[in-house]
Amino acid sequence: MPIAAQIAEPLRATSPVVFASPHSGRVYPAAFLAEAQLPELILRSSEDAFVDQLLASAPEFGAPLLTTQVPRAYVDFNRDADELDPALILGAPRAGLNPRVASGLGVVARVVSNGRAIYRGKIPLSEAQARITAYWHPYHTALTGLLERQHRRFGQVLLCDFHSMPHEALTGHVARGARRPQIIIGDRWGAACAPAIVDQVEAIWRKTGLTVARNAPFAGAYITQRYGQPSTGMNVVQIEIDRALYMDEARIAPSADFAAFQGLMRGVIAELAALDTGAGVFDLAAE
């Protein structure tokens, strides 16, 4: 069975940043594969595949890294535990559905990419609740613990919550003649992170030469909303990376560019982890 939360700690904690990849898990329980009507390769299309590997150097720069083995198609940590889909889960309440749940992407997903149904029918509420108890709660307990520890130690914390987006995800969202964003930084339109910090995060990415955008169409989901409280020193940014930069999306395999992009990521991670050492960024955020 997959491990809910894996924390790679630095030998010496020098950074107020926490790096996380909540969607890169790829250990599929045998019972789930037997229950699903889709082959494993299709199920894996919902993963942020290999993002955990792209972030692996974070502890070298004094920052902890939180990852998971749990696949997003099994339990989605970027959803609230009560985002239950009545179209999938027998006995789930029908009141108060948000667009994520309505589209089949609740805490237990009904579909993967392109709206492909995972299951042949419905699953019992007890099964969904068992997954949430076994995996969702331990992941968020680990994340909460890391953020609170960093906040006590440094007075401020920045969670860099990393995700990946299919290359075609922005089709229809980019104006004609405009460059397609390769990196999207989401701070829920300023509600989840202090502006001085987001500005520095964006500047670091722009130095790489990649095309960077903010909030559109990905402003951040549950994790960004729940943990981002800049007025108390809890800052969160969601960072979406174009999968075409480092992987073959059809085969879900690293591309020939993977090693080079991993090197670029190492430089970005080093700069993100050092944010508290330059220009009083965290001091500015507290003013």
Side-chain angles (χ1 to χ4, degrees), residues 37-114:
Q37 66 175 345
L38 298 175
E40 186 172 345
L41 183 66
I42 301 300
L43 292 172
R44 292 196 64 199
S45 66
S46 68
E47 290 176 17
D48 291 338
F50 315 116
V51 170
D52 52 348
Q53 295 178 32
L54 295 176
L55 299 176
S57 64
E60 298 177 37
F61 302 106
L65 169 62
L66 174 63
T67 59
T68 181
Q69 292 183 342
V70 180
R72 180 187 186 184
Y74 192 63
V75 181
D76 192 337
F77 299 132
N78 203 21
R79 301 290 183 265
D80 199 340
D82 66 3
E83 291 188 68
L84 300 170
D85 184 355
L88 170 66
I89 301 166
L90 288 166
R94 293 187 173 274
L97 295 184
N98 63 39
R100 295 190 296 258
V101 176
S103 66
L105 297 173
V107 64
V108 176
R110 172 166 43 91
V111 301
V112 293
S113 59
N114 297 319

Side-chain angles (χ1 to χ4, degrees), residues 109-281:
R110 172 166 43 91
V111 301
V112 293
S113 59
N114 297 319
R116 290 170 287 192
I118 297 172
Y119 304 89
R120 295 177 182 86
K122 291 192 174 187
I123 65 173
L125 180 60
S126 59
E127 179 178 336
Q129 291 173 331
R131 295 186 197 180
I132 291 166
T133 298
Y135 299 109
W136 190 96
H137 285 293
Y139 183 89
H140 281 278
T141 296
L143 179 55
T144 299
L146 281 174
L147 295 177
E148 290 179 348
R149 186 192 73 188
Q150 296 291 87
H151 190 273
R152 288 193 303 270
R153 183 174 290 166
F154 297 99
Q156 295 269 344
V157 63
L158 170 62
L159 170 61
C160 290
D161 200 52
F162 275 84
H163 298 258
S164 67
M165 55 186 175
H167 182 67
E168 297 305 320
L170 299 185
T171 300
H173 293 279
V174 180
R176 180 173 296 180
R179 295 181 65 184
R180 180 191 296 260
Q182 297 166 299
I183 303 293
I184 299 178
I185 301 166
D187 65 351
R188 296 192 65 84
W189 304 100
C193 188
I197 295 176
V198 183
D199 289 346
Q200 290 297 311
V201 171
E202 181 173 344
I204 288 168
W205 280 107
R206 288 195 180 281
K207 282 195 295 183
T208 66
L210 297 173
T211 304
V212 183
R214 285 199 201 180
N215 288 312
F218 304 115
Y222 172 73
I223 288 173
T224 316
Q225 182 176 18
R226 171 177 172 177
Y227 294 102
Q229 299 177 3
S231 63
T232 68
M234 289 280 191
N235 299 280
V236 182
V237 290
Q238 176 179 288
I239 300 172
E240 295 273 359
I241 303 171
D242 183 349
R243 293 175 186 171
L245 291 168
Y246 66 91
M247 66 177 280
D248 179 329
E249 293 186 67
R251 295 189 301 115
I252 310 184
S255 69
D257 299 321
F258 186 85
F261 188 73
Q262 192 173 39
L264 179 149
M265 284 289 298
R266 181 182 177 86
V268 169
I269 290 165
E271 290 198 60
L272 290 172
L275 270 177
D276 65 320
T277 64
V281 170

